[in-house]
Amino acid sequence: MKPALIVHGGAWDIPDEAVDACKSGCHHALKAGWSILSRGGSALDAIEAAIVVLEDDPVFDAGYGSHLNFDGHVECDAMVMNGATLRAGAAATLQRVKNPIRLARKILENCPHMMLVAGGAERFAKEQGIKLCKPEELVSEAEREAWMKCKTDKHAAEHHRGHEQGTVGAVALDATGNLFAATSTGGTCCKLPGRVGDSPLIGCGCYADSEAGGASCTGYGEAIMRVVMAKTAVDLLRHPATCVDTPPNISCGTSTASLAAREAVHLLAKRTHGTGGLVLLDRAGNPGFAFNTPRMAYGFVALDGSFVTAV
Ligand code: ASP
């Protein structure tokens, strides 16, 4: 089987001055994941490596540099799903885990439950050998400033101009046919403490089924959850012929996989008036993407092994 990898760095109104940083972040994530996949490594190792790069990059809203919640704290959510077993590992409202995807993987591999949150999740992280950080180590100066402006004025997107960021995600297929999808986020700026969005919820922000494909979503979580967008997109991959609509205002690729992605975003817009986007791989590893936000940062490995990144 030919390995495949696609990543995203969020779908929002990414300002011109952040475009290069978003593309370069996606490029580095592809490099980290592809160095594993191209040598016959596992999709799980590759997806973890790619997401860690994106989480560590403060241009994205995941791990270090995430948006702050109403109280000024970072609270992260993450999930990884195995397309062969339909098992997933998810964690939410983490304040002391530098790389939430590493904990999601530990939950997938070593926990009888699918999802852990807050203190219980952090206790499990520690038991699994993941060092906890101080909550303030996840806060970037840019996000602290944006939060202060939101607090003293009112929460407004323009306070984030210049560093508006996005959730991160990836889908990977390895040479033995294993397919994984993953999503990691700091959620929405000024969210209420304890708010959990679509990203760590199975089928909403992330889904993988080796019989059809895998997807990772980004955008307004409260809307994405209502149409269970990742599972919807993966189910559309089973019947690509049904994706015949020509919805307006959706940017997408031309592959059959992109038509399924487009149809899922169309459903999001039609039924919830929400905005967002997603990346996916079909079960053969063909990449697809679609979004109805002004921009989305994404990247994939083309058939000739070159990295395609775009915003
Ligand atoms: N979907 C994420 C959430 O609602 C936000 C994003 O994708 O940027 O938590």
Side-chain angles (χ1 to χ4, degrees), residues 18-220:
V19 164
D20 285 348
C22 286
K23 274 197 207 167
S24 136
C26 288
H27 183 92
H28 285 115
L30 289 175
K31 211 166 143 191
W34 197 244
S35 71
I36 294 169
L37 287 174
S38 59
R39 286 193 211 125
S42 83
L44 181 56
D45 287 342
I47 213 165
E48 182 181 16
I51 298 275
V52 163
V53 167
L54 296 164
E55 286 177 340
D56 287 345
D57 188 335
V59 81
F60 301 116
D61 175 28
Y64 172 68
S66 288
H67 291 320
L68 305 190
N69 70 9
F70 187 77
D71 289 347
H73 302 301
V74 164
E75 274 188 350
C76 290
D77 308 330
M79 170 172 167
V80 60
M81 181 161 181
N82 181 343
T85 61
L86 302 183
R87 281 181 55 84
T93 67
L94 306 172
Q95 294 198 357
R96 297 188 297 156
V97 177
K98 188 171 164 282
N99 291 109
I101 192 65
R102 292 205 197 282
L103 175 55
R105 178 178 179 164
K106 292 286 188 198
I107 293 170
L108 170 71
E109 292 180 320
N110 302 332
C111 184
H113 310 303
M114 186 177 282
M115 186 180 205
L116 297 175
V117 305
E122 291 176 354
R123 190 165 92 187
F124 183 76
K126 230 168 120 187
E127 285 164 11
Q128 293 292 312
I130 295 176
K131 210 171 142 257
L132 298 183
C133 65
K134 291 191 188 128
E136 52 275 22
E137 285 173 49
L138 298 178
V139 179
S140 71
E141 200 41 47
E143 280 307 312
R144 167 78 64 199
E145 271 172 33
W147 175 79
M148 296 278 279
K149 284 188 194 147
C150 291
K151 281 295 259 197
T152 47
D153 183 3
K154 63 175 178 12
H155 172 65
E158 61 264 27
H159 296 326
H160 293 272
R161 288 213 70 88
H163 48 87
E164 178 93 271
Q165 306 159 344
T167 291
V168 306
V171 188
L173 177 73
D174 64 30
T176 54
N178 289 314
L179 178 82
F180 283 82
T183 306
S184 179
T185 189
T188 48
C189 180
C190 296
K191 64 186 180 182
L192 292 179
R195 178 262 187 189
V196 177
D198 60 299
S199 308
L201 300 186
I202 191 164
C204 296
C206 182
Y207 198 74
D209 181 344
S210 298
E211 291 183 358
S216 172
C217 302
T218 168
Y220 185 53

